Amino acid sequence: MTAYHPDTRYLNDYAAGSLSPALSIIVKAHLEHCPECRQHVQSLEQIGGTLMNQQKVAVTLPENALDKLMAKIDSEPKHSATPPIKYRPNNDDLPVVLDKLISRPLNKIGWKKLARGLNFSRVPTGDQEVELMMYHIKAGRKIPMHTHKADEITLVLRGSFSDADGVYKKGDFVVRSAGEQHSPIATQDEDCLCLAAQAQPIAFTGMLRLLNPMLSIKPS
Amino acid sequence: MNNASQEQHFSHDYWVDKLAAIATNEDRQAFAELFDYFAPKIKAYMLTGKAGYISPEAADELVQESMIKVWRKAASYHPMKARVSTWIFTIARNCRIDSLRRSRPEISLDTDDIWVDMTSDETPLVSLQQQRSQRIVQEQLEQLPDEQRQVLYKVYMEGKSHSEIADDMDLPLGTVKSRVRLAMKKLALTVDR
Ligand SMILES: [Zn+2]
């Protein structure tokens, strides 16, 4: 069972459909691991449904709106006539939303070395503000101490890592606020794969400062 | 038309039956009723979106897209997953997101891949306990103090972030956050972790 979940603010904005694309993708990836949060989102959507239903509506539709719609329905082939293309996962242990997004095997997505035992790959989402990245950390490897200029969310996809505050396992949704310093370590027995969303590039405080330009890539 | 008695008349089960008639018999009369009731609500929802200021014509187009999905996906509706209004909300919400995403660079994900619209098999049946909680949401929303209800309206109907709401209402961000928190508590949607 996952122990770390998105707080209500993320889930509210996700259920309302206003959370940015990159953040929505990382929330959706957590939901695939977490029945508890899926249920919670379902209840939140009820707020949307009820508010929509209780609106005092003052708008009108064009008089022929229904006729136009029925004509459209009659003119288009039935849903069953065109079976959807069957989805085949490239990486069957990844959340479907992420697997579809990268749409190729993990070893083909173009990894860049950030430090020994630490590689990253940017995941294009079309989000103008938030950058989505995958990090691969070799078993037992320690990430140098660094701070975040903005909030960073990490979702564990494989293996686990730990820092001063806890141990994070597959499906855990970990939020680090802007300004917090930490130095995560991948667990000894297994490589760790994470998905991370951040508003701005992270800043290394120690000897890795020189590598910073590699992370200062503009969000795609 | 008397609004209060209208709401009473159209109970949850009433719409469940209509959807079932559409699913099994392609019942056009049932669909027309559903359309008359929900289409104006969907249009109002489309017009209130923040990224919007969309034209009434564009809103009409999104109503068409949403209602066509209601027709096609009626068979996937399950009363144990959601109330009809919630089911339709998730369809309309995804259509609204979709229309905003069209202007974005192409990525290999459909809106429905990111936001499950409750027509999906992924949406689990809800437990009895959860059904009870859905009833509480429905009842308590009407009882919320205006200031809390208004904040939720801005989150869900207008699609605004907490800080946009703070700007809008000329309130400190902390006040917006605490109103949402209080509302969640009243709706029994606070998760203890
Ligand atoms: Zn969760």
Side-chain angles (χ1 to χ4, degrees), chain A residues 5-6 30 34 37:
Chain A
H5 307 267
H30 172 77
C34 184
C37 285

Side-chain angles (χ1 to χ4, degrees), chain B residues 97-138:
Chain B
I97 296 170
D98 222 20
S99 76
L100 297 174
R101 286 185 74 212
R102 262 171 225 153
S103 50
R104 295 219 176 92
E106 204 53 48
I107 57 165
S108 58
L109 276 182
D110 289 334
T111 296
D112 292 350
D113 289 328
I114 311 177
W115 288 270
V116 176
D117 76 0
M118 283 202 172
T119 65
S120 150
D121 295 339
E122 273 182 67
T123 311
L125 299 186
V126 300
S127 60
L128 276 177
Q129 186 200 347
Q130 215 184 334
Q131 279 187 302
R132 203 175 316 129
S133 107
Q134 294 192 347
R135 242 192 343 265
I136 295 174
V137 170
Q138 168 112 7

Side-chain angles (χ1 to χ4, degrees), chain A residues 12 14-16 18 24 28 39-40 42 45-46 53-55 60 62 65 74 76 78 100-101, chain B residues 28 37 41 43 64 72 81 83 93 108 113-115 118 122 124 130 134 142 149 155-156 159 189:
Chain A
N12 260 325
Y14 172 81
S18 60
S24 298
K28 173 63 165 72
Q39 283 206 350
H40 192 56
Q42 245 176 305
E45 285 167 334
Q46 165 97 19
N53 201 29
Q54 289 174 352
Q55 280 176 110
T60 51
D74 288 332
E76 284 176 17
K78 288 219 173 137
K100 280 187 178 172
L101 181 59
Chain B
R28 288 175 182 237
Y37 182 77
K41 293 179 188 294
K43 182 170 179 179
Q64 298 263 321
R72 292 220 175 104
K81 286 184 182 178
R83 306 179 71 84
R93 175 198 64 192
S108 58
D113 289 328
I114 311 177
W115 288 270
M118 283 202 172
E122 273 182 67
Q130 215 184 334
Q134 294 192 347
E142 299 185 50
R149 198 183 144 91
V155 171
Y156 280 90
L189 289 176

